[in-house]
Amino acid sequence: MNTGLAVYGNKGSTDQHAYVQQLRDGVNNFFITFIEVLQDRASERTPLQVEPGVTSGDYLSGFLQGTRSALTDSGRESITLTIQKVDAEAIGKLIALYERAVGFYGQLVHINAYHQPGVEAGKKAAAAVLELQGKVMGALQAH
């Protein structure tokens, strides 16, 4: 079965080139989740205007809506999650959502998402490298 989860992301026009082109015209084997943020730059009292009367948030909203429309026109499916603002609570909720989605998806395709022999093999290999580096540094300091 050809299936899997891949997470890509960025904001604004950076993705309007190769990435969105691939999503629009490439193999249709994916599902897109857009995350829309309603509040513009919570850390500033006055939103950053990139031109008179137009904020960076206005541009990001336009890019989201335009990209979503372009992908929909090509038969690509998506959902949009809308959050009020980017803060610790919202980020925590998104992390919890995606953690559960990965676990649920693993069950659907009969894979234990929490049994990760590849991750364990990487940790063991990294420990061996770190041990070797420690020996080399110790030898260099002894001279």
Side-chain angles (χ1 to χ4, degrees), residues 130-143:
L130 292 171
E131 182 181 344
L132 180 60
Q133 287 175 338
K135 288 179 182 178
V136 170
M137 290 304 292
L140 289 174
Q141 291 173 354
H143 290 292

Side-chain angles (χ1 to χ4, degrees), residues 1-17:
M1 172 180 354
N2 293 327
T3 187
L5 288 177
V7 178
Y8 303 96
N10 207 328
K11 60 185 183 306
S13 63
T14 304
D15 288 338
Q16 299 301 310
H17 299 285

Side-chain angles (χ1 to χ4, degrees), residues 56-82:
S56 58
D58 294 331
Y59 268 94
L60 290 175
S61 178
F63 285 127
L64 181 147
Q65 292 175 51
T67 301
R68 185 175 52 204
S69 177
L71 294 174
T72 299
D73 291 348
S74 289
R76 305 322 196 192
E77 296 183 31
S78 70
I79 63 170
T80 301
L81 297 176
T82 303

Side-chain angles (χ1 to χ4, degrees), residues 64-119:
L64 181 147
Q65 292 175 51
T67 301
R68 185 175 52 204
S69 177
L71 294 174
T72 299
D73 291 348
S74 289
R76 305 322 196 192
E77 296 183 31
S78 70
I79 63 170
T80 301
L81 297 176
T82 303
I83 61 175
Q84 184 63 38
K85 60 183 176 180
V86 176
D87 61 7
E89 181 180 353
I91 297 298
K93 287 177 180 178
L94 289 171
I95 290 170
L97 170 68
Y98 285 108
E99 284 177 342
R100 285 158 182 79
V102 168
F104 180 68
Y105 177 76
Q107 286 184 330
L108 289 176
V109 296
H110 308 291
I111 294 171
N112 181 345
Y114 305 102
H115 175 67
Q116 302 177 354
V119 172

